[in-house]
């Protein structure tokens, strides 16, 4: 079974991307991921993400085994061009063409049907993942509520430890003292 994914409008020229893509063609998925991760070319990162996306969609949507997949084909086509101008001497302008590309990746099984999951198994795994996710969300919500209650208690303790009379006295002292914003404005400079 084939799995096809595409990456559109990658802001790297197709000529440069084809060099990196050609190295991955015909490799097993695990080898291709390692190769893409350690590529010197800038497009290696994008190709790795695309490959990971293709593998996960093959596993989740079609129940294919990751170890049985290989990169059947990678095609790099030309995308939209951005046309810009660079000012030059004597009032001239030089055109700059910023190229982009579209990458089409096809994965296929080495041995047809090996370790493939049935639709029932896929559905069961989805339900289990959904139940686990909901359980984690409930647990996080409870922890969040407990943290909020604890924070409220600490705020109450801080407020209740200082008597109100002391707070009022400090405010009055600040008002009565000569240190205020006016004294800062008219302060003499000492040498």
């Amino acid at each position: 079974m084939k799995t096809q994914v595409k990456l559109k409008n990658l802001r790297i020229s197709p000529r440069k991307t084809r060099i990196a893509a050609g190295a991955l063609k015909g490799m097993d998925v695990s080898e291709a991921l390692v190769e893409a991760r350690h590529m010197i070319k800038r497009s290696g990162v994008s190709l790795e993400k695309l490959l990971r996306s293709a593998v996960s969609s093959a596993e989740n949507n079609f129940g294919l085994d990751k170890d049985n997949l290989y990169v059947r084909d990678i095609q790099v086509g030309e995308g939209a061009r951005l046309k810009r101008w660079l000012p030059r001497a004597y009032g001239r302008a030089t055109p700059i063409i910023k190229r982009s590309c579209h990458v089409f990746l096809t994965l296929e099984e080495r041995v047809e049907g090996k370790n493939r999951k049935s639709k029932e198994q896929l559905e069961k795994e989805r339900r289990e993942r959904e139940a686990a996710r909901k359980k984690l969300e409930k647990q996080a919500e409870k922890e969040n509520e407990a943290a909020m209650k604890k924070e409220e208690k600490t705020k109450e303790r801080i407020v209740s430890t200082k008597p109100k009379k002391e707070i009022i006295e400090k405010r009055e002292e600040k008002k009565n003292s000569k240190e205020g914003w006016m004294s800062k404005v008219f302060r003499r400079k000492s040498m």
Side-chain angles (χ1 to χ4, degrees):
M1 177 176 243
K2 294 180 186 177
T3 305
Q4 295 177 333
V5 291
K6 54 189 166 188
L7 170 63
K8 295 226 170 180
N9 299 316
L10 177 63
R11 276 288 292 118
I12 301 172
S13 71
R15 185 175 179 177
K16 294 175 183 176
T17 309
R18 280 188 197 108
I19 295 170
L24 304 178
K25 198 178 286 189
M27 287 185 163
D28 286 334
V29 167
S30 56
E31 294 173 11
L33 282 169
V34 171
E35 184 76 24
R37 185 179 303 124
H38 297 295
M39 260 182 203
I40 296 172
K41 298 287 184 185
R42 190 177 70 156
S43 59
V45 176
S46 302
L47 290 175
E48 182 189 1
K49 281 178 77 173
L50 180 66
L51 197 55
R52 285 186 188 282
S53 172
V55 170
S56 66
S57 68
E59 286 178 333
N60 293 328
N61 297 342
F62 305 113
L64 303 178
D65 184 27
K66 179 181 178 179
D67 300 327
N68 192 27
L69 293 173
Y70 75 101
V71 179
R72 182 167 187 255
D73 190 30
I74 298 182
Q75 293 181 351
V76 180
E78 192 170 324
R81 297 176 182 180
L82 297 175
K83 296 179 181 177
R84 303 291 184 259
W85 297 97
L86 181 69
R88 301 307 291 258
Y90 299 107
R92 297 186 182 113
T94 303
I96 297 175
I97 299 172
K98 298 185 176 190
R99 301 175 195 273
S100 66
C101 64
H102 303 315
V103 183
F104 301 96
L105 175 70
T106 306
L107 298 180
E108 194 171 8
E109 291 179 296
R110 287 257 186 226
V111 179
E112 189 67 31
K114 181 181 175 187
N115 296 335
R116 190 184 296 175
K117 296 177 184 173
S118 66
K119 289 184 179 181
E120 292 82 21
Q121 289 174 325
L122 288 173
E123 200 59 40
K124 183 180 177 184
E125 287 178 2
R126 284 189 191 122
R127 278 188 254 119
E128 289 173 357
R129 282 194 303 260
E130 187 67 26
R133 187 182 62 80
K134 286 182 180 178
K135 185 178 178 182
L136 284 173
E137 285 178 356
K138 287 181 182 178
Q139 186 179 4
E141 190 175 303
K142 287 179 183 178
E143 290 175 0
N144 192 15
E145 288 176 4
M148 292 292 284
K149 288 179 182 178
K150 189 176 181 181
E151 190 176 307
E152 288 175 8
K153 287 181 182 178
T154 55
K155 284 182 180 178
E156 289 174 3
R157 287 182 193 157
I158 292 169
V159 170
S160 63
T161 55
K162 290 186 177 180
K164 292 181 181 178
K165 290 181 182 178
E166 289 180 16
I167 296 170
I168 294 170
E169 288 174 2
K170 285 183 181 179
R171 286 183 189 163
E172 288 177 4
E173 286 177 15
K174 285 183 181 178
K175 286 180 185 177
N176 295 336
S177 68
K178 293 184 178 181
E179 293 181 18
W181 68 275
M182 285 298 284
S183 64
K184 289 180 183 176
V185 171
F186 296 109
R187 186 178 297 159
R188 291 183 182 234
K189 293 182 182 176
S190 61
M191 294 196 179

